[in-house]
Amino acid sequence: MSLFSLFLITILSTLANNAQAETHTWYFEVTYVDANPDGRFNRTVVGFNNTWPLPTLEVDKGDRGIKIPPHFHGLFQNGSNQMDGPEMVTQCTIVPGQTMLYNFSVGNQVGAYWYHSHTKGQYGDGIRAAFIIHDSDFPYDYDEETVITVSEWYHDDSATLDRSFLNLYNPIEAEPIPQNLLFNDTRNDSWVFEPGKTYLAHIINIGAFVSQYLYIENHTMTVIAVDGIYVQPSEYYVDSIDDFLDDFYLQPLKEEEIYDDYDFETTVDVVMDNLGDGINYAFFNNITYVKPKVPTLITANFEDKSDLIAFNGSNHGGWPEYPMRRDTIYVRPQSYFVIRFRADNPGVWYFHCHIEWHLSQGLALTIIEAPLEIQKNENQQLTENYASICEAAGISLVGNAASNSEDFLDLSDEDVQPKPLPGGFTARGIVALVFSCVTGVLGIFMISVYGLSDIKNIEEKASSTGEGTNPKGNLS
Ligand SMILES: *[C@@H]1O[C@H](CO)[C@@H](O)[C@H](O)[C@H]1NC(C)=O
Ligand SMILES: *[C@@H]1O[C@H](CO)[C@@H](O)[C@H](O)[C@H]1NC(C)=O
Ligand SMILES: *[C@@H]1O[C@H](CO)[C@@H](O)[C@H](O)[C@H]1NC(C)=O
Ligand SMILES: *[C@@H]1O[C@H](CO)[C@@H](O)[C@H](O)[C@H]1NC(C)=O
Ligand SMILES: *[C@@H]1O[C@H](CO)[C@@H](O)[C@H](O)[C@H]1NC(C)=O
Ligand SMILES: *[C@@H]1O[C@H](CO)[C@@H](O)[C@H](O)[C@H]1NC(C)=O
Ligand SMILES: *[C@@H]1O[C@H](CO)[C@@H](O)[C@H](O)[C@H]1NC(C)=O
Ligand SMILES: *[C@@H]1O[C@H](CO)[C@@H](O)[C@H](O)[C@H]1NC(C)=O
Ligand SMILES: *[C@@H]1O[C@H](CO)[C@@H](O)[C@H](O)[C@H]1NC(C)=O
């Protein structure tokens, strides 16, 4: 059964680092496939060209690459925002039968990335895999390299899990527990080593929910890169559940001083709470993410002269001299992190929790960077292919989040989050409470009347139960 066709493409062109950059072109059709990766359960997954797992895509530094369904995770889409992937943030939904062309250059980026769908919980259904950019100037010695993915696995599909997760009957929003954990999309992988050799492993968690610990008994692992950034070698040692290498303290190999004092500061608070439909949502600054009717990138590209008002902050403690550079950050419970980024890539960027269930709950926000620059940049103008994907999905190519192209500031028709839970008792609640009280009082009254009434012929009844029975019913 054909789900939707999608494509990828890569093209080439540019010269990077004096090496001839190559263009890679891949074309895939997204299809449903049966698979049983944990050996326990045969289920339908989302694959490419009737196969699953999806292929690891490999390119070299400087190559022009492509992409698949949405989202090349962690990749810096430098001036190619519309190739970033998240549905209704930078592009329209790809409906069945449509072909989306992702055409971008990887530039100077190197290392281990991954690609995945950013639509609903689809990547939990299998549409995710590794994307590796090889570096001809790799700074460390090794003998052989491999790719290892870890993930969790559910026997139900994401749509079914999402329905029971975002549900009135799951008010504390307990995330679905996976049936299994996978190593390289299976439970039956073997990695053959030769003594004395050094192996380079690109380790990627392509899961939707679970964090995993990874170690090799009696062997040393040294972390030398994270999120495509080379770091000072750091021995990777897992001793206990709390004692693991915290990547936040890794120092990049190429020392890059912390950015100058910032111009704007903004604080993002995370809260989870129930709204009026009884479902538990996740909020950034009290707002749960609701998809706009027009992709935000289109809206940002729309002629508009409204002034943006920036937040004015101040005051900070000690910062690291050469801070870690990351795409994804582990946030400890009851904790926070402070990041600093240079706003030098105009576009619409999706800031979100990467626990896919929390994303379903709305833990996302969009950063709209320099919309007037987006509008000015000819390379950012939407391609014909982009427009045809939107037309096929019935999505307007102009307009704000409410799909209003007449009055940019009129958001009255916008899709919004459900209303909050009522603050006190509703009329229905009061009626229910009154009837419950009346029923309760009547019940106690009936029990009292029955309990206090005389029992007729008590002696006859007691003797008829036989000798040795205590008529008072004591357990003596
Ligand atoms: C996927 O299938 C399509 C249609 O059959 C084919 O044109 C394409 O080359 C296939 N892709 C790969 C990477 O094999
Ligand atoms: C998996 O289940 C599908 C039906 O859901 C069936 O058609 C297919 O033959 C099964 N595959 C295996 C390997 O059992
Ligand atoms: C992004 O591209 C611009 C223009 O091509 C270039 O000047 C800049 O250095 C690039 N940024 C990064 C981080 O590669
Ligand atoms: C991909 O982008 C490059 C650079 O903009 C362009 O030259 C090339 O024609 C594009 N490829 C396709 C298939 O549109
Ligand atoms: C695991 O893989 C080996 C060979 O690669 C095969 O012989 C064995 O049957 C597999 N075990 C399971 C449980 O699939
Ligand atoms: C894991 O899977 C990838 C992609 O299929 C493969 O290239 C790699 O060799 C595997 N790694 C191990 C350790 O089996
Ligand atoms: C690891 O080392 C310990 C202590 O030397 C030994 O008991 C254990 O068997 C080793 N494990 C493996 C898998 O070699
Ligand atoms: C969120 O709502 C709470 C309670 O209404 C309020 O105290 C808090 O200031 C709000 N936070 C933000 C960031 O708006
Ligand atoms: C930011 O706030 C400080 C102190 O409140 C004020 O002195 C400064 O002028 C403000 N900066 C801007 C750009 O508004």
Side-chain angles (χ1 to χ4, degrees):
M1 186 187 347
S2 176
L3 215 203
F4 43 89
S5 338
L6 316 167
F7 304 82
L8 300 181
I9 309 320
T10 291
I11 322 181
L12 134 59
S13 57
T14 56
L15 291 178
N17 297 342
N18 305 324
Q20 183 75 43
E22 241 188 275
T23 293
H24 303 257
T25 304
W26 290 278
Y27 169 93
F28 294 108
E29 291 179 0
V30 176
T31 53
Y32 288 122
V33 193
D34 290 325
N36 186 0
D38 66 356
R40 298 272 167 156
F41 193 78
N42 169 29
R43 56 158 287 191
T44 298
V45 303
V46 185
F48 278 173
N49 281 12
N50 299 314
T51 60
W52 189 88
L54 307 191
T56 296
L57 303 181
E58 299 184 56
V59 304
D60 292 322
K61 178 159 71 177
D63 286 358
R64 181 160 280 273
I66 48 125
K67 139 175 183 162
I68 322 270
H71 204 48
F72 267 56
H73 183 104
L75 214 59
F76 183 49
Q77 292 286 356
N78 190 4
S80 45
N81 189 201
Q82 59 180 291
M83 304 301 161
D84 195 40
E87 179 193 14
M88 299 313 282
V89 177
T90 60
Q91 67 163 81
C92 296
T93 308
I94 307 170
V95 297
Q98 292 300 304
T99 299
M100 176 91 190
L101 171 70
Y102 292 95
N103 176 9
F104 60 89
S105 167
V106 298
N108 283 331
Q109 298 171 93
V110 294
Y113 299 86
W114 57 300
Y115 62 90
H116 63 85
S117 166
H118 232 307
T119 296
K120 304 199 167 140
Q122 244 172 30
Y123 85 77
D125 290 331
I127 198 157
R128 74 284 196 283
F131 180 69
I132 308 295
I133 310 171
H134 296 290
D135 185 3
S136 48
D137 306 314
F138 195 81
Y140 297 101
D141 291 332
Y142 63 90
D143 299 304
E144 286 182 24
E145 76 181 297
T146 192
V147 175
I148 294 170
T149 63
V150 294
S151 53
E152 73 282 296
W153 194 246
Y154 291 95
H155 289 169
D156 282 324
D157 63 41
S158 297
T160 306
L161 293 171
D162 234 14
R163 268 196 304 277
S164 52
F165 172 59
L166 293 178
N167 195 296
L168 178 63
Y169 300 102
N170 183 24
I172 56 159
E173 226 65 13
E175 293 89 355
I177 304 297
Q179 274 69 42
N180 242 319
L181 299 176
L182 302 181
F183 182 88
N184 243 10
D185 285 323
T186 171
R187 294 284 296 172
N188 189 21
D189 193 37
S190 44
W191 183 4
V192 180
F193 296 98
E194 279 181 48
K197 279 194 174 176
T198 302
Y199 291 82
L200 169 67
H202 299 282
I203 300 167
I204 311 170
N205 184 344
I206 57 171
F209 177 36
V210 174
S211 297
Q212 300 199 36
Y213 294 85
L214 193 79
Y215 70 96
I216 304 174
E217 195 174 354
N218 296 356
H219 285 75
T220 307
M221 283 204 267
T222 307
V223 177
I224 47 106
V226 60
D227 276 2
I229 304 290
Y230 295 120
V231 295
Q232 308 280 3
S234 182
E235 276 197 17
Y236 182 39
Y237 184 68
V238 180
D239 192 22
S240 72
I241 204 117
D242 299 317
D243 184 17
F244 54 90
L245 185 140
D246 188 339
D247 56 359
F248 202 77
Y249 297 102
L250 293 173
Q251 187 173 310
L253 192 58
K254 181 170 164 248
E255 290 175 346
E256 210 174 278
E257 275 181 28
I258 190 165
Y259 286 155
D260 296 344
D261 236 359
Y262 48 82
D263 298 306
F264 303 113
E265 180 189 85
T266 184
T267 301
V268 175
D269 288 333
V270 177
V271 179
M272 293 197 183
D273 204 357
N274 297 71
L275 288 178
D277 56 4
I279 294 174
N280 189 278
Y281 291 88
F283 306 79
F284 277 138
N285 286 356
N286 292 349
I287 300 170
T288 187
Y289 185 81
V290 178
K291 274 187 297 192
K293 289 181 174 173
V294 167
T296 310
L297 176 60
I298 292 183
T299 302
N301 234 330
F302 188 73
E303 292 295 325
D304 170 54
K305 306 286 170 249
S306 62
D307 290 335
L308 301 170
I309 299 164
F311 182 76
N312 176 8
S314 55
N315 196 12
H316 61 80
W319 306 121
E321 190 178 5
Y322 303 111
M324 188 50 208
R325 279 181 285 148
R326 296 301 319 267
D327 171 68
T328 308
I329 297 176
Y330 173 68
V331 193
R332 290 168 183 269
Q334 313 302 325
S335 161
Y336 69 91
F337 61 86
V338 178
I339 51 173
R340 196 172 284 189
F341 65 94
R342 182 164 281 148
D344 61 357
N345 192 16
V348 172
W349 309 106
Y350 197 37
F351 180 88
H352 57 283
C353 181
H354 230 290
I355 290 177
E356 191 66 4
W357 303 117
H358 297 172
L359 192 52
S360 294
Q361 284 175 274
L363 203 50
L365 57 82
T366 38
I367 296 175
I368 302 165
E369 181 180 327
L372 300 184
E373 294 303 313
I374 303 175
Q375 293 171 20
K376 273 190 233 156
N377 186 344
E378 282 183 14
N379 292 330
Q380 295 266 37
Q381 297 318 305
L382 310 177
T383 64
E384 272 177 42
N385 171 251
Y386 185 106
S388 69
I389 296 285
C390 294
E391 274 158 33
I395 297 165
S396 169
L397 278 168
V398 289
N400 61 14
S403 196
N404 188 331
S405 53
E406 303 293 318
D407 181 356
F408 194 74
L409 298 177
D410 179 0
L411 287 166
S412 53
D413 202 22
E414 189 185 21
D415 287 330
V416 295
Q417 65 191 44
K419 291 198 165 43
L421 279 172
F425 285 110
T426 60
R428 264 169 78 186
I430 292 166
V431 171
L433 183 68
V434 168
F435 275 94
S436 302
C437 293
V438 169
T439 310
V441 169
L442 273 177
I444 288 171
F445 177 72
M446 292 310 292
I447 289 168
S448 311
V449 168
Y450 182 75
L452 293 173
S453 61
D454 283 340
I455 301 173
K456 286 182 187 141
N457 312 325
I458 189 166
E459 268 144 33
E460 263 170 51
K461 281 188 181 165
S463 59
S464 71
T465 59
E467 284 209 8
T469 324
N470 183 332
K472 289 199 185 108
N474 287 340
L475 293 170
S476 55

